[in-house]
Amino acid sequence: MSKRLELIWPNKDKVLLGLDENGKPRWGTKEDLEPGPLVQLEAVGETNRDNPNDLYEQGDNLLIKGDNLLALKALEPHFTGKIKCIYIDPPFNTGNAFEHYDDGLEHTIWLSMMKARLEILRKLLREDDGIIAVHIDERELAYLRILLDEIFGRNNFIRQIVVKAKAAAGVGQESFVFDICEYLLLYGRDSTFAENYMPRVVQPFDGWEETAFDLIFLNEGKREHVNDILGGQVGKVSVFVHSDFQVRRLSSSEHNENFFKRHLEQVFQTTNPQGGLMKRIMPQLPEKELVSIDYVPTRGRYVGKKVTIFFYRGRIVSWLKDIANVNSENGRLDRKTKLVNIWEENLYQGISYEGGIYFPQSKKPERLIQRIIEMTTKPTDWVLDSFLGSGTTAAVAHKLCRKWIGIESGEHAETLCLPRLKRVVSGKDPTGISKQASWKGGGGFRYCVLGEKPL
């Protein structure tokens, strides 16, 4: 008997092939999934046109119209282990019927629908560092979490992120407690290698007069190597003692934004280690007023590069330059804060006509998708969305110079996604993250249907 925690429901061992004309489920097996070939209807912008029939091997961005389970099955032989980031925004199973899709599947049917797709999506992820982000609300959150544990492995759970999706003033007065949140469930193909490429976010900050950064380096003095210690996985850590240095505390009149901008490279505060390498090393350091160490990190944003860490009066030096920068547009000093699992910014504000299309209640903000993509990928990595909706994921991935695949079964693949992505390629989409990404147009994609002949 299995000892793992799992969900059990009728027909779990079967594949939901779809609904018949009466809305009744049609059940089958994985072997019953027989997708037709991808057929190109249109090439937009710059594509590898030499062989339009070999759509899988050209490396072009793909917009696919068709059932997403069959489309994923068709992609599986060609993209297994290649996708760096998968973002999906499946129907939340709210019980409501929206203009473009029915969001009221019976609970167990919804689970079967998700299970079949998630099993293929897992195979498509890069084997070491691929990450999937599943967007959901509270209705199916708990069940989806257990299903993801079962398919990806509980040890590969990375984080659950709370996203503020609406303002309290905008919700009705009938709720016991107002629900303004949606959720992202992040899993890795192997979470050991999952790395956040954007560990900090930039936000305006006005409280510089109250900040704890109250010391300034005027001169780090003479640096003398005293010994080497072992730092575990990072290997040798070189230890230095400083003499003839100059450090002073800031006056109250210097605690202002203009002073911090002028001395961004010199201002610092001190802090205690939170754990890991620094906590192991500090007891071995000389008891001197100013000490520094050199080592080469094996992970993180400075992997493979020598870094220097200072210790002042037995505490770690934390530089202002590491958490702040001058905004190039307004000249103000912005604060780079650690990315946490509650995203309470107004990411949804003003998105009604983002992308030049209207898709009420279902469109996701470009800034939200930008954060997910920048967290999980680098330029030219593959991004996939098999519930493409209005095309937001593909639009953002394109503007960020990632390769992408978007799958949408509804008519809005052609009425919303196709024209939106054409505007992105032509540089005629000034909305969303276009300004922030300095997007002027370029690139291209292929618009395809699954198992149909060209029109």
Side-chain angles (χ1 to χ4, degrees), residues 300-317:
R301 57 176 172 165
Y302 298 118
V303 60
K305 302 178 182 178
K306 186 178 74 171
V307 298
T308 299
I309 305 294
F310 287 87
F311 301 83
Y312 181 63
R313 294 182 176 176
R315 289 162 57 92
I316 299 174
V317 168

Side-chain angles (χ1 to χ4, degrees), residues 7-28:
L7 288 172
I8 302 296
W9 67 87
N11 297 308
K12 179 181 178 180
D13 59 335
K14 298 179 181 179
V15 173
L16 179 65
L17 301 177
L19 304 178
D20 62 22
E21 61 276 7
N22 299 315
K24 300 296 184 182
R26 294 188 295 108
W27 300 104

Side-chain angles (χ1 to χ4, degrees), residues 69-316:
L69 181 58
L70 291 175
L72 290 172
K73 188 67 176 177
L75 293 171
E76 184 180 346
H78 309 278
F79 284 90
T80 290
K82 293 184 179 180
I83 308 298
K84 180 63 174 70
C85 170
I86 295 172
Y87 167 83
I88 58 172
D89 176 31
F92 289 177
N93 214 18
T94 61
N96 300 318
F98 295 103
E99 178 183 355
H100 297 292
Y101 63 88
D102 187 358
D103 194 20
L105 293 179
E106 193 273 333
H107 179 64
T108 61
I109 295 177
W110 186 89
L111 287 171
S112 293
M113 181 271 292
M114 292 299 299
K115 177 176 178 290
R117 287 153 179 80
L118 288 169
E119 286 174 340
I120 299 178
L121 289 170
R122 180 185 177 276
K123 295 178 182 179
L124 298 181
L125 279 179
R126 273 185 7 194
E127 292 188 6
D128 50 358
D129 59 354
I131 295 175
I132 184 171
V134 185
H135 199 136
I136 200 70
D137 73 1
E138 65 179 9
R139 294 172 180 85
E140 297 288 357
L141 173 64
Y143 298 95
L144 180 61
R145 173 78 179 268
I146 297 174
L147 183 60
L148 286 163
D149 281 350
E150 184 177 332
I151 294 172
F152 286 83
R154 188 174 182 180
N155 58 314
N156 287 322
F157 169 72
I158 297 174
R159 191 67 65 219
Q160 176 176 307
I161 297 172
V162 181
V163 180
K164 180 182 177 182
K166 58 178 75 75
V171 299
Q173 299 298 313
E174 73 284 353
S175 300
F176 183 78
V177 174
F178 296 147
D179 176 22
I180 63 171
C181 298
E182 293 174 0
Y183 305 89
L184 294 170
L185 293 173
L186 270 60
Y187 281 75
R189 181 71 185 267
D190 185 341
S191 62
T192 305
F193 297 98
E195 181 180 347
N196 185 353
Y197 299 128
M198 193 189 68
R200 295 181 181 272
V201 293
V202 177
Q203 297 175 324
F205 185 73
D206 294 323
W208 294 109
E209 68 280 357
E210 301 174 357
T211 185
F213 286 90
D214 60 352
L215 296 165
I216 185 169
F217 252 120
L218 301 176
N219 186 344
E220 70 177 52
K222 299 176 181 178
R223 192 174 187 241
E224 179 185 358
H225 178 250
V226 291
N227 70 306
D228 296 323
I229 57 180
L230 293 179
Q233 292 183 350
V234 303
K236 183 180 72 172
V237 176
S238 299
V239 181
F240 301 83
V241 170
H242 294 251
S243 60
D244 299 329
F245 59 88
Q246 291 179 286
V247 173
R248 71 169 175 84
R249 191 168 298 277
L250 301 182
S251 67
S252 58
S253 63
E254 292 171 325
H255 263 258
N256 61 74
E257 184 176 355
N258 288 331
F259 183 87
F260 286 146
K261 283 196 298 184
R262 292 197 306 271
H263 301 280
L264 191 61
E265 301 286 325
Q266 300 165 278
V267 173
F268 70 98
Q269 65 174 345
T270 61
T271 183
N272 289 320
Q274 300 301 311
L277 177 63
M278 294 302 113
K279 199 165 187 177
R280 295 196 306 272
I281 284 178
M282 284 187 64
Q284 305 178 60
L285 297 180
E287 294 184 2
K288 300 293 184 179
E289 193 170 19
L290 183 61
V291 177
S292 62
I293 62 170
D294 287 351
Y295 74 100
V296 179
T298 57
R299 61 183 305 172
R301 57 176 172 165
Y302 298 118
V303 60
K305 302 178 182 178
K306 186 178 74 171
V307 298
T308 299
I309 305 294
F310 287 87
F311 301 83
Y312 181 63
R313 294 182 176 176
R315 289 162 57 92
I316 299 174

